[in-house]
Structure formats: structure tokens, C-alpha cells
Amino acid sequence: MERKSRTRKVTAVAAACAAAALLAAGCSSSSGGKAAEQSANVGSAGKANTARIKIAMITHAAPGDTFWDLIRKGAQAAAAKDNVDLVYSSDPNAANQANLIQNAIDQKVDGIAVTLAKPDAMKAAVAKAEKAGIPVVGFNAGLDNWKEQGLLEYFGQDENVAGQAFGEKLNSLGAKHNICVIQEQGHVALEARCAGVKKSFKGKTENLYVNGTDMPSVKSTITAKLKQDSSIDEVVTLGGPFALTAVQSVSDAGSKAKVATFDLNKDVTKAIQAGTVQFAVDQQPYLQGYLSIDSLWLYKYNGNFSGGGVAPVLTGPAFVTKDNVDTIAKFAAKGTR
């Protein structure tokens, strides 16, 4: 009886393994115990079993700008899945950002993901990385420059197209006079957004330059402009934190202007729900960060590159309005949208 009972147990285990194999890529009696459990966890999470590599992500993020937290979270998620050692660094100063590329070259990283907010200042450093045999991908800023600088791929939105879509949205809402608030003068992506708005908007568009690293100054500058010109009926901001500051400026100025913005975070979704921000254009920064790291792993281990090296991968624009914000808010609350 004991032998039959053992036989039945072995048969049951074998049947369980066979069923699991159909559902989850196999069950091995030789790996056993903790090793089998770890193998199952890796498979269910889709974690790569390739050799660990090091990838540098280098951005022009300014201190305190929460937009970049979403980029970094996406990059970290891809790095965890792909068995990548992610080295993240940032500096809003273009020359310093170029130095960070040189640091990555010196570390002999396996790949670099970089933003090209001021592409001319980055050109020489990018060329050095490529000469060293390090694949480089671009994301977020540099749509018009990534190919000429020899980058492998690009992930982001066409900022001028996004700006034009924004302008059309303002037309549909009956706006007549907007100020487009640029938090970093000379930043090609931000300038392109406002240029796109101006191109499609039927009313008057004025660019208003502010110091994005000094939020009290941003608030006072917008407030002063609204007090100076009561005809302004729309404040266009180019980042979530600036939208929330603009809402305060409108109140302080006693203005009737509305606020709409590029880019999203959990506080902006709440503002859209409350009606203090009309809408946001989401370029999906989490996705940009994720794809940038994942693409370099795919290139190293399978020779893949999206867009054939000639077309960008567009992550936006997507409008977030009161009609669809509830669906997106649950992801924004987690810090991934």
C-alpha cells in the first residue's frame, strides 16, 4: 500500500508539472526547491536571464521637476526586467550634461539613453560615445536632431505637432489670447511646443519666459503678466508643476483666464477632475523611460532597433480631459502616468 501511495503521489506531481509546463514554460524536477521557485518567479515577471549589462540614462532634468520621476520609474522598471544596472544622472546645464556622457564613456557602459534639449552642446560628446562603440538612443527632446547625430532610435512626441493639436483644442474652447509659458529658454522641445500652438491657434499667442528652477519667480511673473493684460484668457504651461503654479497666479491676479498644460502628474489629474486645469497633453514619460532602456537591451541581445533607424517611436500626444481623466488618474496615483 505504501508503494502504491508513493506512486500516486509521484504521478500527481508529474501531472502538475505537465500542466504547469503548458501554462508557464516548464517544470523541472532536477532544479527543485528554492531554485525552481526562483525560476518560476523570473518567468512570471518576464525577467531576462541574459548577462548583466550597464546602461547610462542622462537627462537635462532640473532639480525638483517631478516630470523626470516618471521617466526614471519607467527606466527602472525596464532595467529590473532586463537585468540591467541603470546609472541615472541629470543636469539642466547642457555643458554639464555633455560631461555626464563622457563619464558614462569612461565607465565603459553598454549603452546610453540621452535627451537632446540643446543638441548642439551635446553633439561632440555623443560622437565620442559612438566612436567608442557605445550605442546611443534619444528620448524626450531632440526629435529633429537624433538622426543627424547618429543615434540608434528616438522615443518621444513630435512637439510641434503636439503644439498644433493643443492650439486646435484652444480654438474649439473659444480662447482668443494665450500666453505660452516657457520655463527654459533655448530648450528646443519647449520652443517647438509654443511654435506649434502659435501655428494653429486662431487668436493671439505670446511666449512668456520664466525661470523654471525658481517656482516663486514663475508664479510672480505669470501673475504680473495677467494683471498687466486682462485680455489674456488662456495660460498654456509646458509642465505639470507649472500648471498648478499658474492656477495660483490666475487667482492672485484676479484673472478670468483658464489654464491648460502639456505633461501630466497625479496632481494635474486631480486639478483636471476639479476643473481648475482644463486639459493636459500627455507624452507618456514613463513609457519613454521604459522604451529607452528596453531598446538598448534588445539591440545588444537581438540586434533590434525600432523605426529602422529612420523614424521615431511616438509616445504622444494624448489629450487628458475631464471626460477620460478618471481612467488615467489611477495610474497617475501610482506615479507611472
Side-chain angles (χ1 to χ4, degrees):
M1 286 294 292
E2 186 178 352
R3 177 175 292 180
K4 288 182 179 180
S5 175
R6 288 179 178 172
T7 300
R8 281 195 295 269
K9 287 180 181 179
V10 170
T11 302
V13 170
C17 284
L22 292 174
L23 294 173
C27 177
S28 171
S29 60
S30 61
S31 57
K34 189 174 182 179
E37 182 181 349
Q38 290 174 338
S39 178
N41 289 339
V42 168
S44 63
K47 187 177 175 70
N49 60 4
T50 49
R52 193 164 183 80
I53 59 174
K54 181 182 289 188
I55 294 177
M57 172 171 273
I58 300 164
T59 78
H60 62 276
D65 190 342
T66 56
F67 172 86
W68 298 97
D69 295 340
L70 301 177
I71 294 271
R72 193 169 182 175
K73 281 186 178 181
Q76 289 170 334
K81 178 182 72 71
D82 293 338
N83 199 25
V84 166
D85 180 11
L86 176 66
V87 182
Y88 180 90
S89 59
S90 64
D91 200 300
N93 180 282
N96 292 341
Q97 190 188 3
N99 288 336
L100 292 175
I101 293 179
Q102 183 61 57
N103 291 343
I105 296 170
D106 294 341
Q107 293 179 52
K108 295 180 168 46
V109 298
D110 297 284
I112 295 174
V114 66
T115 58
L116 301 177
K118 295 177 180 175
D120 289 344
M122 307 295 290
K123 191 172 183 178
V126 168
K128 286 181 181 178
E130 292 165 349
K131 187 176 181 180
I134 301 172
V136 183
V137 301
F139 68 99
N140 182 261
L143 178 71
D144 295 329
N145 306 92
W146 69 278
K147 281 192 290 184
E148 69 182 40
Q149 293 199 18
L151 273 60
L152 188 68
E153 302 164 84
Y154 182 85
F155 305 95
Q157 71 180 1
D158 187 319
E159 302 294 2
N160 191 274
V161 170
Q164 291 181 53
F166 200 108
E168 293 290 357
K169 185 75 171 176
L170 294 183
N171 291 334
S172 71
L173 295 173
K176 303 298 181 184
H177 181 184
N178 81 77
I179 52 172
C180 195
V181 182
I182 300 177
Q183 68 264 26
E184 184 181 344
Q185 190 165 4
H187 183 309
V188 291
L190 301 182
E191 299 281 357
R193 287 178 176 180
C194 289
V197 171
K198 186 173 184 178
K199 184 174 183 179
S200 64
F201 184 55
K202 294 179 180 178
K204 182 179 180 181
T205 297
E206 290 184 76
N207 289 355
L208 179 67
Y209 292 96
V210 297
N211 179 4
T213 62
D214 183 354
M215 202 60 83
S217 171
V218 172
K219 181 181 175 183
S220 62
T221 302
I222 297 174
T223 301
K225 182 64 177 178
L226 292 173
K227 284 182 176 179
Q228 175 192 342
D229 191 344
S230 60
S231 72
I232 297 168
D233 57 7
E234 196 78 41
V235 180
V236 177
T237 59
L238 307 183
F242 304 101
L244 302 173
T245 297
V247 170
Q248 296 173 9
S249 294
V250 168
S251 176
D252 290 352
S255 171
K256 294 182 179 179
K258 305 294 183 182
V259 177
T261 191
F262 289 81
D263 296 339
L264 193 68
N265 60 33
K266 63 182 179 181
D267 293 323
V268 171
T269 60
K270 291 177 183 177
I272 294 172
Q273 289 172 318
T276 54
V277 172
Q278 287 178 300
F279 63 88
V281 171
D282 182 21
Q283 62 174 305
Q284 301 187 96
Y286 180 93
L287 184 61
Q288 291 176 8
Y290 185 96
L291 292 176
S292 297
I293 301 305
D294 199 42
S295 67
L296 286 165
W297 177 83
L298 284 167
Y299 180 71
K300 180 172 180 63
Y301 287 110
N302 205 47
N304 299 124
F305 51 99
S306 300
V310 295
V313 176
L314 299 181
T315 62
F319 280 99
V320 180
T321 68
K322 208 160 188 177
D323 294 333
N324 64 358
V325 67
D326 290 342
T327 301
I328 293 169
K330 60 184 179 182
F331 301 114
K334 296 189 302 180
T336 59
R337 191 70 189 269

